[in-house]
Amino acid sequence: MTRLETTTPEMSLAESKVDDLATVCKVMMRFADTPAVITAFAVKLCCGISALVLFAWLAKVRPRNRTLHINAYNILYAHFIFVLISSIGVVMNDGFDLTRLTVFRRIVDYKEGSNECGIFSMPARYGVWIRLITFFGNTGSTLTMTALAVERTYATIQSRSYEKESKPGFGRLLVFLAVVVNFALKTFIAVHINYQRYLPMQSLSAEAAPYATCVLYINTGCEVFNILVFVFLWFANHKWKKSVGRILATLTHKYQVEENMKSVAIMISLASLHFLINIIAYFIQLYGTWHDETPQEKMEYVIKGDVAPTYDFLLPLLTLCRIYYKKRRVHHKNSLHGIMSPVENISTNDHFQMLNGMFDKALDQTIAKKSKTTSASSKSKVDVSNVHQI
């Protein structure tokens, strides 16, 4: 296999003609002969495959009873779906590019300017759509995290009554908006792609790069917004817990704030992980736009610095660890204390129904006492009037 060695300047893909296979071939040879690029493809492929296996395992063992409000649960479920889509895209994109540059590479005697380099190029009309699958999953996971931030903010503001409501309409609306915005952003990129080009890897054409950069800026802004909102909600709920107004609050209000604190604590951990990994990935991808590198050099930055598949792998892994940890803790409690209190096994909505039942019962007892007092008073008045008549 002949390694590409040349001292001539490398033509930019953006400046080349759409049918210039020689330039595309030269870039593919560069990628195939760069160990860091091949290693990056292999690592991302492993993350994608591992994520798919873990998601299948998670679907089998996930608990059926939910501990979050139905709206938060639906949005979080959509977040997992988008991460799953991203994992599928990673396997299709990086797996295909890896095998194309290694397994399916033919040994040829490459010459400068030749169209034949032993690696078949990818037409943009096919490659960009496969790449957009990954983009759709990544952006969707960010937007659903934003939807969670909005939903938890509303839950905190309406903490007196929100947590005991079981209407899923608000959560479904936020998921729908996230999907619509995601489709709009991907359409914004897709309409600027040159589908006549051949690409050295499954990526966007050079013409669409500025518009994809705008989407990255939007994603970055959403990531910062999400983490700031969750941190603010955590402090707001803890501040209320220590305030004087808590003394006069009802039992349901106190319980709802406790649930808000627990859910926000989980969201902060999730949002922090999502923020850390995706911000690194976004900045690496944006790095090329801030310098005068050629499109192929920018591609190399994206290949070697795209750490987003790490989140696709860690999300189901950490979720499984949490599930098994909770099961082990429950089993340990059962072994120490025997049968658990039934209150510990009921869902949030059932708990609120129990509390409402308690309050309704007390109210019924109060009304019954007043009714008895009123009837007794009326009866005594009737007896007195009868005596006077006699």
Side-chain angles (χ1 to χ4, degrees), residues 12 109 146 153 167 211 221 226 287 388:
S12 170
D109 187 14
T146 304
T153 300
K167 298 178 181 179
Y211 306 97
N226 297 341
Y287 176 80
H388 284 302

Side-chain angles (χ1 to χ4, degrees), residues 4 14 24 28 60-61 91 163 204 286 320 346 363 370:
L4 175 62
V24 175
M28 290 190 296
K60 184 178 180 180
V61 303
V91 173
E163 288 292 337
L204 306 179
L286 290 171
L320 284 169
I346 63 176
L363 181 61
K370 289 183 178 180

Side-chain angles (χ1 to χ4, degrees), residues 297-351:
E297 290 174 331
K298 294 177 183 179
M299 284 184 182
E300 195 167 329
Y301 282 127
V302 173
I303 295 170
K304 294 188 291 187
D306 183 15
V307 296
T310 308
Y311 182 81
D312 302 343
F313 167 71
L314 289 178
L315 178 64
L317 176 64
L318 295 178
T319 304
L320 284 169
C321 291
R322 185 172 182 270
I323 290 173
Y324 281 105
Y325 171 75
K326 291 181 68 175
K327 286 184 177 180
R328 185 176 180 182
R329 187 177 61 179
V330 170
H331 178 73
H332 181 67
K333 284 185 178 181
N334 287 339
S335 61
L336 290 178
H337 306 291
I339 301 176
M340 294 177 61
S341 170
V343 177
E344 298 184 32
N345 288 324
I346 63 176
S347 65
T348 303
N349 289 335
D350 293 335
H351 189 74

Side-chain angles (χ1 to χ4, degrees), residues 66 77 103 126 164 176 193 215 223 227 229 246 363 366:
R66 56 181 176 82
Y77 189 83
V103 178
Y126 302 124
K164 62 182 178 182
F176 175 75
I193 294 173
V215 175
E223 292 289 348
I227 195 69
V229 168
R246 184 179 183 275
L363 181 61
T366 303

Side-chain angles (χ1 to χ4, degrees), residues 55-185:
F55 271 115
W57 187 5
L58 180 61
K60 184 178 180 180
V61 303
R62 69 182 180 90
R64 301 303 173 185
N65 57 326
R66 56 181 176 82
T67 56
L68 294 174
H69 188 275
I70 183 64
N71 288 328
Y73 180 84
N74 287 339
I75 299 173
L76 191 61
Y77 189 83
H79 179 78
F80 274 75
I81 294 297
F82 276 118
V83 175
L84 176 61
I85 293 173
S86 177
S87 302
I88 295 173
V90 167
V91 173
M92 295 175 64
N93 280 277
D94 299 284
F96 185 74
D97 283 334
L98 177 63
T99 55
R100 192 167 54 87
L101 296 176
T102 55
V103 178
F104 298 136
R105 182 180 181 181
R106 294 180 290 107
I107 300 176
V108 297
D109 187 14
Y110 176 77
K111 295 180 180 179
E112 184 73 23
S114 173
N115 294 347
E116 181 60 40
C117 57
I119 306 171
F120 62 91
S121 57
M122 194 70 186
R125 60 181 176 272
Y126 302 124
V128 294
W129 294 111
I130 301 176
R131 175 58 63 179
L132 284 175
I133 294 175
T134 306
F135 287 174
F136 183 77
N138 289 338
T139 304
S141 66
T142 299
L143 292 175
T144 47
M145 193 64 68
T146 304
L148 271 174
V150 173
E151 188 271 340
R152 286 293 91 188
T153 300
Y154 183 74
T156 300
I157 295 173
Q158 299 293 332
S159 58
R160 293 178 182 273
S161 59
Y162 179 77
E163 288 292 337
K164 62 182 178 182
E165 296 176 357
S166 300
K167 298 178 181 179
F170 183 54
R172 291 174 180 173
L173 174 62
L174 291 176
V175 171
F176 175 75
L177 291 176
V179 173
V180 170
V181 172
N182 199 2
F183 268 113
L185 292 175

Side-chain angles (χ1 to χ4, degrees), residues 41 53 75 85 128 139 147 155 170 214 255 263 265 281 293 322 354:
F41 276 134
V53 173
I75 299 173
I85 293 173
V128 294
T139 304
F170 183 54
C214 294
Y255 182 82
S263 62
E293 282 85 357
R322 185 172 182 270
M354 182 186 71

